[in-house]
Amino acid sequence: MKLKTYLPILEWGSRYNRDSLTSDLVAAVIVTIMLIPQSLAYALLAGLPPEVGLYASVLPLVAYAIFGTSTALAVGPVAVVSLMTASAIGSIAAEGTVDYASAAILLAAMSGIILAVLGLFRLGFIANFLSHPVISGFITASGLIIATSQVGGMLGIKTEGHALPELVMSIVHNIGTINWYTLAVGAVSLALLLWIRMDLKNWLLRFGLPKGAVTIITRAGPVLVVFLTMAWSVLGDLGARGVALVGDVPQGLPMLSLPNFNLDTMQALLLPALIISIVGFVESISVAQTLAAKRRQRIDPNQELIGLGAANIAAAVGGGYPVTGGFARSVVNFDAGAATPAAGAFTAIGIAGATLLLTPFLAILPKATLAATIIVAVLTLVDFSILKRAWTYSKADFTAVAITLLGTLLMGVEVGISLGVAASILIFLYRSSQPHAAVVGQVPGTEHFRNVKRHDVHTIPSVLSIRVDESLYFANARYLEDLVYGEVAGRPELKDVVLMCSAVNAIDMSALESLEAIQHQLKDLGVRLHLSEVKGPVMDRLAGTEFLQHLSGGVHLSQHQAMEAIKALPAAA
């Protein structure tokens, strides 16, 4: 059972049957058709030769099939990680050089090792520091940057930079060098891809075609666009007219090899590798859990870290670059009926076959077609509605989204996501440093106690009951002291204070010292301190402390029992 935990293939492989095989093969065919143009396009987005995208779609899928837990997650190159790869490597090597390609392989290896280590030590919770608003803002900004970076490819002009201002300025600067043939290819490709995505399915269904056939044709649409523009390239001699073509692509699979672990390069790539790992994991686990819930299946986040780590290490060994689970292709894999992770392994076989047989034909493919493919693919990433939802629900969350979005757009992906994480943590610390607390009174005729500002409740002048709605730790300990002292100061008739701790999940050392300070201060005023509704784990920590030993009041199971006990006490000295 221990071995099956780390090798899920032993679990699902033991019950693999002919029905699963059929479902996985059908899904693999559809995903392979979809993945070929995407892999080529995303490799170019990462600043790498197009065949590297195919290399990154072979061994990683096999590795994930062995170590991953999702039946539907399709691993491979994705837009956001490709952009982050280009941003990370572009600062240490020139695009198109051997050092650039070597750095991409090393980045995949480092990302894989980081993910695997996080999984082995069950540290998946680290990804929780990337809140959903921050991720949404980051992905929206990344989608805009990616789309803008492909405008140059659509126009046949050179663009530079990894942030929006740099890209826009380079487009403006080179706008006079547009190649009109390239623009025509890009515009036609974009129009066809948009039509395929938005209307082809309905159009085919109106002709009465079976739903299964319609799905396959729709998924194969981008490949058809590739073939059409390749034919256009040959018939129109587009290469001679200045249209950038993919060019010669090496036929066959690369030799397996280990990355060059250069210490200086590793040091430069450490932070980007960590960020890519966390962002890739968050994107992947979100997709995997969403799809698993639809089949009432369970995803193990820590094993997913190991699975993605193995996939990235495999990408490095196979000459690829960082990969993760992609949303679009995973949904396609799910809808196509993938029954087990074996569907990914079969997809890998299909990609390997394409790499062996089809690469000679890719030389005539216009790069503008791949640019259009990327633009259409990232349209789903851009979601400005998160700004409106965040503004309506929480101004603090809106601030985190806005900082992440603007930081990414203006300063690049690494700075943007770092600013977003920092903003989220600061907002959390600010919120928890000023915890909500309420003076409570008894709802007449019940044993319930509610906020005196929200409900018509009964209070006793000699008793102050304060409900603390946050765990107590170093950041809010002093705030609690000030709150209690402020409430006590205006109540000369006060004899007892009760801290209602129903929402307190933890009390750290600093908070304990603050409670002791409150106890001493109240004792000097002749006021008893009580606690009520203290949770078991918190009580375990407090047991045996001097605070409980010298507590002037008592610890009560419920707020109602605390009030009854106080009524039976003699007046404080």
Side-chain angles (χ1 to χ4, degrees):
M1 291 302 297
K2 185 76 171 178
L3 190 59
K4 286 183 178 181
T5 301
Y6 291 102
L7 290 173
I9 189 174
L10 299 178
E11 173 64 30
W12 60 261
S14 62
R15 43 188 168 77
Y16 201 70
N17 54 40
R18 181 176 296 180
D19 290 339
S20 298
L21 175 63
T22 302
S23 299
D24 288 341
L25 285 174
V26 171
V29 170
I30 296 174
V31 174
T32 299
I33 292 171
M34 178 185 183
L35 194 53
I36 290 173
Q38 279 194 357
S39 298
L40 297 169
Y42 291 153
L44 292 178
L45 175 60
L48 295 162
E51 66 271 13
V52 174
L54 296 175
Y55 301 160
S57 302
V58 180
L59 289 183
L61 279 75
V62 177
Y64 182 81
I66 296 172
F67 294 96
T69 61
S70 172
T71 59
L73 191 69
V75 173
V78 298
V80 173
V81 171
S82 297
L83 174 66
M84 297 176 74
T85 298
S87 176
I89 302 173
S91 61
I92 63 173
E95 187 175 323
T97 63
V98 175
D99 289 342
Y100 191 96
S102 297
I105 292 173
L106 179 59
L107 185 62
M110 293 176 64
S111 178
I113 292 170
I114 289 171
L115 287 165
V117 169
L118 290 176
L120 289 171
F121 286 94
R122 309 189 71 79
L123 298 175
F125 70 88
I126 292 176
N128 296 335
F129 287 105
L130 287 179
S131 66
H132 177 71
V134 166
I135 284 291
S136 297
F138 173 71
I139 290 179
T140 293
S142 297
L144 290 173
I145 292 174
I146 291 168
T148 306
S149 71
Q150 299 308 301
V151 171
M154 294 277 291
L155 300 178
I157 63 177
K158 183 177 178 59
T159 56
E160 297 177 341
H162 299 292
L164 197 61
E166 300 167 351
L167 289 167
V168 171
M169 289 304 296
S170 65
I171 292 171
V172 172
H173 181 72
N174 296 311
I175 197 71
T177 62
I178 289 178
N179 182 288
W180 296 103
Y181 290 98
T182 301
L183 176 58
V185 173
V188 170
S189 299
L190 185 63
L192 286 174
L193 289 168
L194 287 173
W195 176 70
I196 288 168
R197 170 164 290 200
M198 299 171 64
D199 197 47
L200 178 59
K201 186 174 183 178
N202 295 330
W203 189 75
L204 292 173
L205 288 173
R206 284 197 295 268
F207 278 89
L209 290 178
K211 190 173 181 180
V214 169
T215 299
I216 294 176
I217 294 172
T218 303
R219 301 305 181 192
V223 176
L224 296 177
V225 174
V226 167
F227 285 141
L228 286 174
T229 53
M230 287 169 64
W232 187 0
S233 176
V234 173
L235 296 175
D237 196 15
L238 296 180
R241 300 178 187 277
V243 177
L245 306 178
V246 169
D248 292 332
V249 176
Q251 188 173 8
L253 297 170
M255 295 291 292
L256 303 184
S257 61
L258 293 175
N260 178 22
F261 289 97
N262 180 277
L263 190 59
D264 291 336
T265 307
M266 289 175 64
Q267 185 175 357
L269 293 178
L270 182 58
L271 180 59
L274 178 62
I275 294 175
I276 287 173
S277 300
I278 299 299
V279 170
F281 172 65
V282 171
E283 181 177 355
S284 179
I285 197 67
S286 299
V287 176
Q289 289 179 334
T290 299
L291 296 179
K294 294 182 178 181
R295 292 180 177 172
R296 297 189 178 183
Q297 296 172 338
R298 178 181 174 274
I299 297 296
D300 181 351
N302 289 302
Q303 184 59 33
E304 281 299 289
L305 281 167
I306 296 174
L308 291 174
N312 277 278
I313 293 171
V317 173
Y321 70 102
V323 297
T324 192
F327 175 76
R329 72 176 70 106
S330 296
V331 171
V332 170
N333 199 34
F334 178 87
D335 290 341
T340 72
F346 294 140
T347 301
I349 294 173
I351 298 293
T355 305
L356 291 169
L357 302 175
L358 300 181
T359 48
F361 303 100
L362 296 176
I364 56 175
L365 175 62
K367 289 185 177 180
T369 301
L370 296 179
T373 301
I374 293 175
I375 290 175
V376 172
V378 301
L379 286 178
T380 56
L381 300 181
V382 179
D383 177 20
F384 286 112
S385 67
I386 185 63
L387 291 170
K388 181 180 179 181
R389 297 199 307 271
W391 176 263
T392 303
Y393 185 74
S394 168
K395 301 301 185 290
D397 285 334
F398 173 83
T399 301
V401 174
I403 289 174
T404 306
L405 197 152
L406 292 175
T408 303
L409 287 177
L410 300 179
M411 291 177 279
V413 290
E414 291 178 17
V415 175
I417 195 68
S418 299
L419 287 174
V421 172
S424 294
I425 293 174
L426 287 174
I427 289 170
F428 167 76
L429 291 175
Y430 174 76
R431 283 172 170 169
S432 61
S433 68
Q434 301 187 54
H436 180 267
V439 175
V440 298
Q442 188 171 11
V443 179
T446 74
E447 295 183 3
H448 299 293
F449 288 77
R450 295 292 184 267
N451 191 337
V452 297
K453 294 181 180 179
R454 293 177 179 269
H455 301 271
D456 184 13
V457 295
H458 173 67
T459 59
I460 301 174
S462 63
V463 180
L464 171 65
S465 297
I466 300 176
R467 189 188 68 222
V468 183
D469 295 334
E470 182 70 66
S471 292
L472 300 176
Y473 72 117
F474 65 91
N476 60 26
R478 184 57 61 86
Y479 180 86
L480 178 65
E481 289 185 52
D482 294 340
L483 174 68
V484 173
Y485 297 155
E487 292 291 343
V488 169
R491 303 169 189 264
E493 72 281 13
L494 195 64
K495 300 301 180 184
D496 293 273
V497 171
V498 184
L499 293 182
M500 187 175 173
C501 302
S502 53
V504 177
N505 296 315
I507 296 176
D508 76 354
M509 195 71 180
S510 297
L512 177 61
E513 292 177 356
S514 289
L515 289 175
E516 290 173 342
I518 293 171
Q519 154 78 0
H520 291 313
Q521 183 74 15
L522 293 180
K523 190 173 183 180
D524 290 342
L525 296 174
V527 177
R528 291 176 291 238
L529 176 64
H530 306 260
L531 303 180
S532 73
E533 303 189 13
V534 182
K535 293 185 176 180
V538 177
M539 200 63 203
D540 292 341
R541 285 292 184 92
L542 294 178
T545 62
E546 291 188 5
F547 169 69
L548 281 190
Q549 293 171 7
H550 298 99
L551 188 64
S552 55
V555 179
H556 307 278
L557 185 62
S558 69
Q559 181 67 18
H560 176 71
Q561 289 184 8
M563 296 302 295
E564 292 300 312
I566 289 171
K567 291 175 185 178
L569 288 174

